[in-house]
Structures are given as structure tokens and as C-alpha cells.
Amino acid sequence: MTTVADLHNEAMEFTELAFLARMRGEQVDSMGLFQKALEHELDAIDKMSERVEPTFSVLCRSAATLALDCNEFRKAEQIVTRALSQDIPEEIAEELRDLLEHSRRMQGHDGPVECQPGNGQTLGHGLSGDHHRGHGQSPEAAD
């Protein structure tokens, strides 16, 4: 049986391969690998039977960062606002707010971003409504 930690570790392996492909100038391969990494990270979040901290918020931070790597800005914003609607460690909450700001800058928006919880719409994978900092260490096995 695949655990949360297994899925996260696989996501990080895909992430490493994506960065290597990007460095070689293989943009199409890189984007596909980032997408696979994102899918694995979202699957890890879904697999959590309980919202254990800091595992949940670390996985959300990683998934949001991967969504930005895939240029899926709206998905990144949805992941961040979902995580911020929970009782998460302040340090990770600040990093998530930074990711939200980074997403807005990547889209060409200026000014501060208001963080609002999602509207209950599902984003697939059970989630509702400095950039590479989010790719991180393996969370505790919390399945």
C-alpha cells in the first residue's frame, strides 16, 4: 500500500527530474514531470486520513509550488487558500502567503493579495477553494 510519505517522495523525485530537464533546455519534458509531481503531491494530501500538522501544510506548500512550476496559478491559489483556512503553523502560513504573492507577480498583478478561504468548490484531489522554497523534505508518514 502506498503511503503519504511514498507519494511525497515520488513527487520529489519527479521534481528533481523536472529541474534537470529544465536545465537541459527540455521544457516540454520538464513541464510533464512537474505535472506528475503535482499529481503525486495532491494524491498524498488526499491520502491523509487526518489533517496532521505540520505534514498537511508542508504538503500544501509543496503542491502549491509545483502548481506554480506548472503555470497553474489558479490551482496554486486554491491550494494556498485551502491551507490558510486551517490551523497551521505560522511559519508555514507566512511561506504560503509568500507563494500567493509570487503567483500574483507571475501573473503580472501588482499590490498586496487578500487571502480568502475557498468557496467550497472542489479542485480535484480533494482540495477546495522565495518560489522554490516549497519543494521540501519528506513529511512524516501520516496516512
Side-chain angles (χ1 to χ4, degrees):
M1 176 180 238
T2 306
T3 67
V4 170
D6 292 336
L7 288 165
H8 174 73
N9 289 334
E10 290 170 12
M12 294 301 96
E13 288 174 21
F14 280 122
T15 300
E16 184 175 338
L17 293 172
F19 280 120
L20 291 173
R22 181 183 284 171
M23 288 174 26
R24 291 189 306 267
E26 300 167 357
Q27 294 305 319
V28 173
D29 290 342
S30 176
M31 291 302 282
L33 290 163
F34 277 126
Q35 188 64 46
K36 285 183 180 180
L38 174 59
E39 290 169 8
H40 277 73
E41 205 71 310
L42 291 172
D43 286 344
I45 293 168
D46 283 349
K47 190 154 184 78
M48 292 185 72
S49 57
E50 295 180 33
R51 299 291 188 236
V52 177
E53 285 301 338
T55 304
F56 173 73
S57 54
V58 168
L59 289 172
C60 288
R61 179 186 62 196
S62 180
T65 301
L66 287 164
L68 291 179
D69 287 326
C70 294
N71 294 322
E72 294 189 29
F73 305 112
R74 183 70 182 131
K75 184 175 282 190
E77 291 168 2
Q78 290 172 326
I79 294 166
V80 167
T81 56
R82 170 65 179 140
L84 290 174
S85 73
Q86 305 295 313
D87 185 21
I88 63 173
E90 184 56 37
E91 180 180 330
I92 297 172
E94 187 59 37
E95 291 173 3
L96 287 165
R97 289 183 201 102
D98 290 345
L99 279 174
L100 196 56
E101 289 288 339
H102 185 74
S103 174
R104 300 283 292 177
R105 284 191 305 274
M106 288 176 72
Q107 296 175 71
H109 300 286
D110 293 325
V113 176
E114 287 188 32
C115 299
Q116 299 179 6
N119 60 5
Q121 292 179 326
T122 301
L123 162 201
H125 295 295
L127 294 175
S128 50
D130 216 336
H131 172 56
H132 297 294
R133 167 173 33 184
H135 300 301
Q137 303 191 25
S138 178
E140 301 152 17
D143 42 348

mmCIF file with all atom_site columns, all heavy atoms in Angstrom, residues 58-83:
data_model
loop_
_atom_site.group_PDB
_atom_site.id
_atom_site.type_symbol
_atom_site.label_atom_id
_atom_site.label_alt_id
_atom_site.label_comp_id
_atom_site.label_asym_id
_atom_site.label_entity_id
_atom_site.label_seq_id
_atom_site.pdbx_PDB_ins_code
_atom_site.Cartn_x
_atom_site.Cartn_y
_atom_site.Cartn_z
_atom_site.occupancy
_atom_site.B_iso_or_equiv
_atom_site.pdbx_formal_charge
_atom_site.auth_seq_id
_atom_site.auth_comp_id
_atom_site.auth_asym_id
_atom_site.auth_atom_id
_atom_site.pdbx_PDB_model_num
ATOM 1   N N   . VAL A 1 58 ? 2.839   21.378 4.997   1.00 0.00 ? 58 VAL A N   1
ATOM 2   C CA  . VAL A 1 58 ? 4.050   21.184 4.193   1.00 0.00 ? 58 VAL A CA  1
ATOM 3   C C   . VAL A 1 58 ? 3.684   20.618 2.824   1.00 0.00 ? 58 VAL A C   1
ATOM 4   O O   . VAL A 1 58 ? 4.187   21.062 1.792   1.00 0.00 ? 58 VAL A O   1
ATOM 5   C CB  . VAL A 1 58 ? 5.069   20.273 4.926   1.00 0.00 ? 58 VAL A CB  1
ATOM 6   C CG1 . VAL A 1 58 ? 6.184   19.821 3.994   1.00 0.00 ? 58 VAL A CG1 1
ATOM 7   C CG2 . VAL A 1 58 ? 5.642   20.994 6.133   1.00 0.00 ? 58 VAL A CG2 1
ATOM 8   N N   . LEU A 1 59 ? 2.786   19.643 2.806   1.00 0.00 ? 59 LEU A N   1
ATOM 9   C CA  . LEU A 1 59 ? 2.338   19.078 1.529   1.00 0.00 ? 59 LEU A CA  1
ATOM 10  C C   . LEU A 1 59 ? 1.618   20.128 0.684   1.00 0.00 ? 59 LEU A C   1
ATOM 11  O O   . LEU A 1 59 ? 1.820   20.197 -0.535  1.00 0.00 ? 59 LEU A O   1
ATOM 12  C CB  . LEU A 1 59 ? 1.430   17.872 1.756   1.00 0.00 ? 59 LEU A CB  1
ATOM 13  C CG  . LEU A 1 59 ? 2.101   16.606 2.278   1.00 0.00 ? 59 LEU A CG  1
ATOM 14  C CD1 . LEU A 1 59 ? 1.047   15.566 2.636   1.00 0.00 ? 59 LEU A CD1 1
ATOM 15  C CD2 . LEU A 1 59 ? 3.097   16.051 1.279   1.00 0.00 ? 59 LEU A CD2 1
ATOM 16  N N   . CYS A 1 60 ? 0.802   20.957 1.322   1.00 0.00 ? 60 CYS A N   1
ATOM 17  C CA  . CYS A 1 60 ? 0.109   22.024 0.586   1.00 0.00 ? 60 CYS A CA  1
ATOM 18  C C   . CYS A 1 60 ? 1.107   23.036 0.030   1.00 0.00 ? 60 CYS A C   1
ATOM 19  O O   . CYS A 1 60 ? 0.971   23.469 -1.125  1.00 0.00 ? 60 CYS A O   1
ATOM 20  C CB  . CYS A 1 60 ? -0.912  22.723 1.477   1.00 0.00 ? 60 CYS A CB  1
ATOM 21  S SG  . CYS A 1 60 ? -2.370  21.723 1.820   1.00 0.00 ? 60 CYS A SG  1
ATOM 22  N N   . ARG A 1 61 ? 2.101   23.385 0.815   1.00 0.00 ? 61 ARG A N   1
ATOM 23  C CA  . ARG A 1 61 ? 3.129   24.318 0.335   1.00 0.00 ? 61 ARG A CA  1
ATOM 24  C C   . ARG A 1 61 ? 3.845   23.733 -0.878  1.00 0.00 ? 61 ARG A C   1
ATOM 25  O O   . ARG A 1 61 ? 4.062   24.403 -1.884  1.00 0.00 ? 61 ARG A O   1
ATOM 26  C CB  . ARG A 1 61 ? 4.120   24.624 1.457   1.00 0.00 ? 61 ARG A CB  1
ATOM 27  C CG  . ARG A 1 61 ? 5.234   25.572 1.046   1.00 0.00 ? 61 ARG A CG  1
ATOM 28  C CD  . ARG A 1 61 ? 6.265   25.721 2.137   1.00 0.00 ? 61 ARG A CD  1
ATOM 29  N NE  . ARG A 1 61 ? 6.890   24.429 2.394   1.00 0.00 ? 61 ARG A NE  1
ATOM 30  C CZ  . ARG A 1 61 ? 7.608   24.143 3.471   1.00 0.00 ? 61 ARG A CZ  1
ATOM 31  N NH1 . ARG A 1 61 ? 7.772   25.039 4.429   1.00 0.00 ? 61 ARG A NH1 1
ATOM 32  N NH2 . ARG A 1 61 ? 8.150   22.959 3.633   1.00 0.00 ? 61 ARG A NH2 1
ATOM 33  N N   . SER A 1 62 ? 4.193   22.468 -0.794  1.00 0.00 ? 62 SER A N   1
ATOM 34  C CA  . SER A 1 62 ? 4.881   21.802 -1.896  1.00 0.00 ? 62 SER A CA  1
ATOM 35  C C   . SER A 1 62 ? 3.980   21.724 -3.124  1.00 0.00 ? 62 SER A C   1
ATOM 36  O O   . SER A 1 62 ? 4.413   22.016 -4.245  1.00 0.00 ? 62 SER A O   1
ATOM 37  C CB  . SER A 1 62 ? 5.317   20.400 -1.460  1.00 0.00 ? 62 SER A CB  1
ATOM 38  O OG  . SER A 1 62 ? 5.972   19.740 -2.508  1.00 0.00 ? 62 SER A OG  1
ATOM 39  N N   . ALA A 1 63 ? 2.717   21.355 -2.933  1.00 0.00 ? 63 ALA A N   1
ATOM 40  C CA  . ALA A 1 63 ? 1.776   21.253 -4.061  1.00 0.00 ? 63 ALA A CA  1
ATOM 41  C C   . ALA A 1 63 ? 1.553   22.616 -4.712  1.00 0.00 ? 63 ALA A C   1
ATOM 42  O O   . ALA A 1 63 ? 1.498   22.726 -5.946  1.00 0.00 ? 63 ALA A O   1
ATOM 43  C CB  . ALA A 1 63 ? 0.450   20.653 -3.588  1.00 0.00 ? 63 ALA A CB  1
ATOM 44  N N   . ALA A 1 64 ? 1.433   23.654 -3.911  1.00 0.00 ? 64 ALA A N   1
ATOM 45  C CA  . ALA A 1 64 ? 1.231   24.999 -4.468  1.00 0.00 ? 64 ALA A CA  1
ATOM 46  C C   . ALA A 1 64 ? 2.453   25.438 -5.278  1.00 0.00 ? 64 ALA A C   1
ATOM 47  O O   . ALA A 1 64 ? 2.318   26.030 -6.352  1.00 0.00 ? 64 ALA A O   1
ATOM 48  C CB  . ALA A 1 64 ? 0.943   26.001 -3.350  1.00 0.00 ? 64 ALA A CB  1
ATOM 49  N N   . THR A 1 65 ? 3.633   25.118 -4.778  1.00 0.00 ? 65 THR A N   1
ATOM 50  C CA  . THR A 1 65 ? 4.855   25.452 -5.502  1.00 0.00 ? 65 THR A CA  1
ATOM 51  C C   . THR A 1 65 ? 4.913   24.699 -6.827  1.00 0.00 ? 65 THR A C   1
ATOM 52  O O   . THR A 1 65 ? 5.263   25.264 -7.869  1.00 0.00 ? 65 THR A O   1
ATOM 53  C CB  . THR A 1 65 ? 6.101   25.129 -4.644  1.00 0.00 ? 65 THR A CB  1
ATOM 54  O OG1 . THR A 1 65 ? 6.017   25.872 -3.427  1.00 0.00 ? 65 THR A OG1 1
ATOM 55  C CG2 . THR A 1 65 ? 7.378   25.480 -5.366  1.00 0.00 ? 65 THR A CG2 1
ATOM 56  N N   . LEU A 1 66 ? 4.545   23.431 -6.791  1.00 0.00 ? 66 LEU A N   1
ATOM 57  C CA  . LEU A 1 66 ? 4.527   22.640 -8.020  1.00 0.00 ? 66 LEU A CA  1
ATOM 58  C C   . LEU A 1 66 ? 3.488   23.183 -9.010  1.00 0.00 ? 66 LEU A C   1
ATOM 59  O O   . LEU A 1 66 ? 3.728   23.210 -10.219 1.00 0.00 ? 66 LEU A O   1
ATOM 60  C CB  . LEU A 1 66 ? 4.255   21.171 -7.702  1.00 0.00 ? 66 LEU A CB  1
ATOM 61  C CG  . LEU A 1 66 ? 5.430   20.442 -7.042  1.00 0.00 ? 66 LEU A CG  1
ATOM 62  C CD1 . LEU A 1 66 ? 4.972   19.134 -6.420  1.00 0.00 ? 66 LEU A CD1 1
ATOM 63  C CD2 . LEU A 1 66 ? 6.546   20.217 -8.052  1.00 0.00 ? 66 LEU A CD2 1
ATOM 64  N N   . ALA A 1 67 ? 2.351   23.621 -8.497  1.00 0.00 ? 67 ALA A N   1
ATOM 65  C CA  . ALA A 1 67 ? 1.338   24.213 -9.377  1.00 0.00 ? 67 ALA A CA  1
ATOM 66  C C   . ALA A 1 67 ? 1.912   25.455 -10.068 1.00 0.00 ? 67 ALA A C   1
ATOM 67  O O   . ALA A 1 67 ? 1.671   25.669 -11.268 1.00 0.00 ? 67 ALA A O   1
ATOM 68  C CB  . ALA A 1 67 ? 0.072   24.555 -8.593  1.00 0.00 ? 67 ALA A CB  1
ATOM 69  N N   . LEU A 1 68 ? 2.678   26.254 -9.349  1.00 0.00 ? 68 LEU A N   1
ATOM 70  C CA  . LEU A 1 68 ? 3.328   27.412 -9.968  1.00 0.00 ? 68 LEU A CA  1
ATOM 71  C C   . LEU A 1 68 ? 4.339   26.963 -11.017 1.00 0.00 ? 68 LEU A C   1
ATOM 72  O O   . LEU A 1 68 ? 4.440   27.579 -12.087 1.00 0.00 ? 68 LEU A O   1
ATOM 73  C CB  . LEU A 1 68 ? 4.004   28.279 -8.913  1.00 0.00 ? 68 LEU A CB  1
ATOM 74  C CG  . LEU A 1 68 ? 3.082   29.027 -7.958  1.00 0.00 ? 68 LEU A CG  1
ATOM 75  C CD1 . LEU A 1 68 ? 3.888   29.820 -6.941  1.00 0.00 ? 68 LEU A CD1 1
ATOM 76  C CD2 . LEU A 1 68 ? 2.125   29.928 -8.719  1.00 0.00 ? 68 LEU A CD2 1
ATOM 77  N N   . ASP A 1 69 ? 5.079   25.898 -10.725 1.00 0.00 ? 69 ASP A N   1
ATOM 78  C CA  . ASP A 1 69 ? 6.026   25.367 -11.706 1.00 0.00 ? 69 ASP A CA  1
ATOM 79  C C   . ASP A 1 69 ? 5.313   24.920 -12.979 1.00 0.00 ? 69 ASP A C   1
ATOM 80  O O   . ASP A 1 69 ? 5.894   24.945 -14.064 1.00 0.00 ? 69 ASP A O   1
ATOM 81  C CB  . ASP A 1 69 ? 6.811   24.189 -11.126 1.00 0.00 ? 69 ASP A CB  1
ATOM 82  C CG  . ASP A 1 69 ? 7.846   24.622 -10.100 1.00 0.00 ? 69 ASP A CG  1
ATOM 83  O OD1 . ASP A 1 69 ? 8.430   25.709 -10.258 1.00 0.00 ? 69 ASP A OD1 1
ATOM 84  O OD2 . ASP A 1 69 ? 8.065   23.865 -9.143  1.00 0.00 ? 69 ASP A OD2 1
ATOM 85  N N   . CYS A 1 70 ? 4.051   24.516 -12.838 1.00 0.00 ? 70 CYS A N   1
ATOM 86  C CA  . CYS A 1 70 ? 3.239   24.085 -13.985 1.00 0.00 ? 70 CYS A CA  1
ATOM 87  C C   . CYS A 1 70 ? 2.477   25.253 -14.615 1.00 0.00 ? 70 CYS A C   1
ATOM 88  O O   . CYS A 1 70 ? 1.674   25.048 -15.530 1.00 0.00 ? 70 CYS A O   1
ATOM 89  C CB  . CYS A 1 70 ? 2.228   23.025 -13.542 1.00 0.00 ? 70 CYS A CB  1
ATOM 90  S SG  . CYS A 1 70 ? 2.972   21.476 -13.007 1.00 0.00 ? 70 CYS A SG  1
ATOM 91  N N   . ASN A 1 71 ? 2.695   26.463 -14.100 1.00 0.00 ? 71 ASN A N   1
ATOM 92  C CA  . ASN A 1 71 ? 1.962   27.659 -14.539 1.00 0.00 ? 71 ASN A CA  1
ATOM 93  C C   . ASN A 1 71 ? 0.458   27.524 -14.312 1.00 0.00 ? 71 ASN A C   1
ATOM 94  O O   . ASN A 1 71 ? -0.343  28.115 -15.032 1.00 0.00 ? 71 ASN A O   1
ATOM 95  C CB  . ASN A 1 71 ? 2.259   27.982 -16.010 1.00 0.00 ? 71 ASN A CB  1
ATOM 96  C CG  . ASN A 1 71 ? 3.695   28.370 -16.215 1.00 0.00 ? 71 ASN A CG  1
ATOM 97  O OD1 . ASN A 1 71 ? 4.283   29.055 -15.377 1.00 0.00 ? 71 ASN A OD1 1
ATOM 98  N ND2 . ASN A 1 71 ? 4.286   27.929 -17.299 1.00 0.00 ? 71 ASN A ND2 1
ATOM 99  N N   . GLU A 1 72 ? 0.081   26.781 -13.300 1.00 0.00 ? 72 GLU A N   1
ATOM 100 C CA  . GLU A 1 72 ? -1.325  26.626 -12.916 1.00 0.00 ? 72 GLU A CA  1
ATOM 101 C C   . GLU A 1 72 ? -1.584  27.542 -11.722 1.00 0.00 ? 72 GLU A C   1
ATOM 102 O O   . GLU A 1 72 ? -1.704  27.112 -10.586 1.00 0.00 ? 72 GLU A O   1
ATOM 103 C CB  . GLU A 1 72 ? -1.635  25.167 -12.595 1.00 0.00 ? 72 GLU A CB  1
ATOM 104 C CG  . GLU A 1 72 ? -1.528  24.262 -13.807 1.00 0.00 ? 72 GLU A CG  1
ATOM 105 C CD  . GLU A 1 72 ? -2.031  22.865 -13.542 1.00 0.00 ? 72 GLU A CD  1
ATOM 106 O OE1 . GLU A 1 72 ? -2.938  22.704 -12.678 1.00 0.00 ? 72 GLU A OE1 1
ATOM 107 O OE2 . GLU A 1 72 ? -1.526  21.938 -14.186 1.00 0.00 ? 72 GLU A OE2 1
ATOM 108 N N   . PHE A 1 73 ? -1.670  28.842 -12.039 1.00 0.00 ? 73 PHE A N   1
ATOM 109 C CA  . PHE A 1 73 ? -1.753  29.858 -10.998 1.00 0.00 ? 73 PHE A CA  1
ATOM 110 C C   . PHE A 1 73 ? -3.006  29.725 -10.149 1.00 0.00 ? 73 PHE A C   1
ATOM 111 O O   . PHE A 1 73 ? -2.950  29.838 -8.927  1.00 0.00 ? 73 PHE A O   1
ATOM 112 C CB  . PHE A 1 73 ? -1.673  31.252 -11.622 1.00 0.00 ? 73 PHE A CB  1
ATOM 113 C CG  . PHE A 1 73 ? -0.456  31.428 -12.473 1.00 0.00 ? 73 PHE A CG  1
ATOM 114 C CD1 . PHE A 1 73 ? -0.571  31.569 -13.850 1.00 0.00 ? 73 PHE A CD1 1
ATOM 115 C CD2 . PHE A 1 73 ? 0.810   31.425 -11.921 1.00 0.00 ? 73 PHE A CD2 1
ATOM 116 C CE1 . PHE A 1 73 ? 0.556   31.726 -14.644 1.00 0.00 ? 73 PHE A CE1 1
ATOM 117 C CE2 . PHE A 1 73 ? 1.937   31.578 -12.701 1.00 0.00 ? 73 PHE A CE2 1
ATOM 118 C CZ  . PHE A 1 73 ? 1.810   31.721 -14.078 1.00 0.00 ? 73 PHE A CZ  1
ATOM 119 N N   . ARG A 1 74 ? -4.139  29.509 -10.771 1.00 0.00 ? 74 ARG A N   1
ATOM 120 C CA  . ARG A 1 74 ? -5.395  29.397 -10.025 1.00 0.00 ? 74 ARG A CA  1
ATOM 121 C C   . ARG A 1 74 ? -5.361  28.199 -9.082  1.00 0.00 ? 74 ARG A C   1
ATOM 122 O O   . ARG A 1 74 ? -5.790  28.283 -7.937  1.00 0.00 ? 74 ARG A O   1
ATOM 123 C CB  . ARG A 1 74 ? -6.580  29.306 -10.990 1.00 0.00 ? 74 ARG A CB  1
ATOM 124 C CG  . ARG A 1 74 ? -7.914  29.247 -10.314 1.00 0.00 ? 74 ARG A CG  1
ATOM 125 C CD  . ARG A 1 74 ? -8.271  30.581 -9.665  1.00 0.00 ? 74 ARG A CD  1
ATOM 126 N NE  . ARG A 1 74 ? -9.546  30.446 -8.983  1.00 0.00 ? 74 ARG A NE  1
ATOM 127 C CZ  . ARG A 1 74 ? -9.754  30.833 -7.741  1.00 0.00 ? 74 ARG A CZ  1
ATOM 128 N NH1 . ARG A 1 74 ? -8.809  31.441 -7.071  1.00 0.00 ? 74 ARG A NH1 1
ATOM 129 N NH2 . ARG A 1 74 ? -10.918 30.660 -7.171  1.00 0.00 ? 74 ARG A NH2 1
ATOM 130 N N   . LYS A 1 75 ? -4.827  27.085 -9.559  1.00 0.00 ? 75 LYS A N   1
ATOM 131 C CA  . LYS A 1 75 ? -4.736  25.902 -8.707  1.00 0.00 ? 75 LYS A CA  1
ATOM 132 C C   . LYS A 1 75 ? -3.817  26.190 -7.511  1.00 0.00 ? 75 LYS A C   1
ATOM 133 O O   . LYS A 1 75 ? -4.131  25.821 -6.378  1.00 0.00 ? 75 LYS A O   1
ATOM 134 C CB  . LYS A 1 75 ? -4.221  24.700 -9.493  1.00 0.00 ? 75 LYS A CB  1
ATOM 135 C CG  . LYS A 1 75 ? -4.201  23.421 -8.667  1.00 0.00 ? 75 LYS A CG  1
ATOM 136 C CD  . LYS A 1 75 ? -3.804  22.214 -9.488  1.00 0.00 ? 75 LYS A CD  1
ATOM 137 C CE  . LYS A 1 75 ? -4.997  21.783 -10.308 1.00 0.00 ? 75 LYS A CE  1
ATOM 138 N NZ  . LYS A 1 75 ? -4.786  20.472 -10.957 1.00 0.00 ? 75 LYS A NZ  1
ATOM 139 N N   . ALA A 1 76 ? -2.698  26.872 -7.755  1.00 0.00 ? 76 ALA A N   1
ATOM 140 C CA  . ALA A 1 76 ? -1.784  27.226 -6.660  1.00 0.00 ? 76 ALA A CA  1
ATOM 141 C C   . ALA A 1 76 ? -2.515  28.087 -5.632  1.00 0.00 ? 76 ALA A C   1
ATOM 142 O O   . ALA A 1 76 ? -2.398  27.864 -4.425  1.00 0.00 ? 76 ALA A O   1
ATOM 143 C CB  . ALA A 1 76 ? -0.562  27.960 -7.209  1.00 0.00 ? 76 ALA A CB  1
ATOM 144 N N   . GLU A 1 77 ? -3.275  29.062 -6.109  1.00 0.00 ? 77 GLU A N   1
ATOM 145 C CA  . GLU A 1 77 ? -4.014  29.946 -5.204  1.00 0.00 ? 77 GLU A CA  1
ATOM 146 C C   . GLU A 1 77 ? -5.049  29.163 -4.405  1.00 0.00 ? 77 GLU A C   1
ATOM 147 O O   . GLU A 1 77 ? -5.241  29.400 -3.209  1.00 0.00 ? 77 GLU A O   1
ATOM 148 C CB  . GLU A 1 77 ? -4.669  31.064 -5.995  1.00 0.00 ? 77 GLU A CB  1
ATOM 149 C CG  . GLU A 1 77 ? -3.657  32.032 -6.577  1.00 0.00 ? 77 GLU A CG  1
ATOM 150 C CD  . GLU A 1 77 ? -4.253  32.986 -7.594  1.00 0.00 ? 77 GLU A CD  1
ATOM 151 O OE1 . GLU A 1 77 ? -5.484  32.929 -7.845  1.00 0.00 ? 77 GLU A OE1 1
ATOM 152 O OE2 . GLU A 1 77 ? -3.494  33.797 -8.153  1.00 0.00 ? 77 GLU A OE2 1
ATOM 153 N N   . GLN A 1 78 ? -5.723  28.213 -5.039  1.00 0.00 ? 78 GLN A N   1
ATOM 154 C CA  . GLN A 1 78 ? -6.724  27.413 -4.339  1.00 0.00 ? 78 GLN A CA  1
ATOM 155 C C   . GLN A 1 78 ? -6.086  26.548 -3.263  1.00 0.00 ? 78 GLN A C   1
ATOM 156 O O   . GLN A 1 78 ? -6.619  26.420 -2.154  1.00 0.00 ? 78 GLN A O   1
ATOM 157 C CB  . GLN A 1 78 ? -7.500  26.543 -5.332  1.00 0.00 ? 78 GLN A CB  1
ATOM 158 C CG  . GLN A 1 78 ? -8.414  27.345 -6.224  1.00 0.00 ? 78 GLN A CG  1
ATOM 159 C CD  . GLN A 1 78 ? -9.019  26.506 -7.331  1.00 0.00 ? 78 GLN A CD  1
ATOM 160 O OE1 . GLN A 1 78 ? -8.392  25.585 -7.844  1.00 0.00 ? 78 GLN A OE1 1
ATOM 161 N NE2 . GLN A 1 78 ? -10.242 26.839 -7.704  1.00 0.00 ? 78 GLN A NE2 1
ATOM 162 N N   . ILE A 1 79 ? -4.935  25.970 -3.577  1.00 0.00 ? 79 ILE A N   1
ATOM 163 C CA  . ILE A 1 79 ? -4.234  25.143 -2.588  1.00 0.00 ? 79 ILE A CA  1
ATOM 164 C C   . ILE A 1 79 ? -3.805  25.997 -1.398  1.00 0.00 ? 79 ILE A C   1
ATOM 165 O O   . ILE A 1 79 ? -3.999  25.613 -0.236  1.00 0.00 ? 79 ILE A O   1
ATOM 166 C CB  . ILE A 1 79 ? -3.017  24.445 -3.235  1.00 0.00 ? 79 ILE A CB  1
ATOM 167 C CG1 . ILE A 1 79 ? -3.477  23.434 -4.294  1.00 0.00 ? 79 ILE A CG1 1
ATOM 168 C CG2 . ILE A 1 79 ? -2.152  23.765 -2.170  1.00 0.00 ? 79 ILE A CG2 1
ATOM 169 C CD1 . ILE A 1 79 ? -2.369  22.943 -5.211  1.00 0.00 ? 79 ILE A CD1 1
ATOM 170 N N   . VAL A 1 80 ? -3.259  27.173 -1.682  1.00 0.00 ? 80 VAL A N   1
ATOM 171 C CA  . VAL A 1 80 ? -2.791  28.066 -0.612  1.00 0.00 ? 80 VAL A CA  1
ATOM 172 C C   . VAL A 1 80 ? -3.962  28.511 0.264   1.00 0.00 ? 80 VAL A C   1
ATOM 173 O O   . VAL A 1 80 ? -3.879  28.442 1.497   1.00 0.00 ? 80 VAL A O   1
ATOM 174 C CB  . VAL A 1 80 ? -2.044  29.288 -1.194  1.00 0.00 ? 80 VAL A CB  1
ATOM 175 C CG1 . VAL A 1 80 ? -1.833  30.360 -0.131  1.00 0.00 ? 80 VAL A CG1 1
ATOM 176 C CG2 . VAL A 1 80 ? -0.715  28.859 -1.791  1.00 0.00 ? 80 VAL A CG2 1
ATOM 177 N N   . THR A 1 81 ? -5.058  28.953 -0.339  1.00 0.00 ? 81 THR A N   1
ATOM 178 C CA  . THR A 1 81 ? -6.172  29.441 0.472   1.00 0.00 ? 81 THR A CA  1
ATOM 179 C C   . THR A 1 81 ? -6.806  28.315 1.282   1.00 0.00 ? 81 THR A C   1
ATOM 180 O O   . THR A 1 81 ? -7.252  28.545 2.411   1.00 0.00 ? 81 THR A O   1
ATOM 181 C CB  . THR A 1 81 ? -7.231  30.165 -0.382  1.00 0.00 ? 81 THR A CB  1
ATOM 182 O OG1 . THR A 1 81 ? -7.693  29.308 -1.407  1.00 0.00 ? 81 THR A OG1 1
ATOM 183 C CG2 . THR A 1 81 ? -6.666  31.444 -0.981  1.00 0.00 ? 81 THR A CG2 1
ATOM 184 N N   . ARG A 1 82 ? -6.807  27.104 0.734   1.00 0.00 ? 82 ARG A N   1
ATOM 185 C CA  . ARG A 1 82 ? -7.331  25.957 1.495   1.00 0.00 ? 82 ARG A CA  1
ATOM 186 C C   . ARG A 1 82 ? -6.461  25.711 2.725   1.00 0.00 ? 82 ARG A C   1
ATOM 187 O O   . ARG A 1 82 ? -6.971  25.531 3.831   1.00 0.00 ? 82 ARG A O   1
ATOM 188 C CB  . ARG A 1 82 ? -7.377  24.715 0.604   1.00 0.00 ? 82 ARG A CB  1
ATOM 189 C CG  . ARG A 1 82 ? -7.681  23.425 1.326   1.00 0.00 ? 82 ARG A CG  1
ATOM 190 C CD  . ARG A 1 82 ? -9.071  23.425 1.913   1.00 0.00 ? 82 ARG A CD  1
ATOM 191 N NE  . ARG A 1 82 ? -9.298  22.151 2.564   1.00 0.00 ? 82 ARG A NE  1
ATOM 192 C CZ  . ARG A 1 82 ? -9.923  22.014 3.715   1.00 0.00 ? 82 ARG A CZ  1
ATOM 193 N NH1 . ARG A 1 82 ? -10.428 23.059 4.310   1.00 0.00 ? 82 ARG A NH1 1
ATOM 194 N NH2 . ARG A 1 82 ? -10.077 20.835 4.252   1.00 0.00 ? 82 ARG A NH2 1
ATOM 195 N N   . ALA A 1 83 ? -5.151  25.737 2.535   1.00 0.00 ? 83 ALA A N   1
ATOM 196 C CA  . ALA A 1 83 ? -4.238  25.502 3.662   1.00 0.00 ? 83 ALA A CA  1
ATOM 197 C C   . ALA A 1 83 ? -4.365  26.613 4.697   1.00 0.00 ? 83 ALA A C   1
ATOM 198 O O   . ALA A 1 83 ? -4.387  26.360 5.905   1.00 0.00 ? 83 ALA A O   1
ATOM 199 C CB  . ALA A 1 83 ? -2.803  25.391 3.164   1.00 0.00 ? 83 ALA A CB  1
#
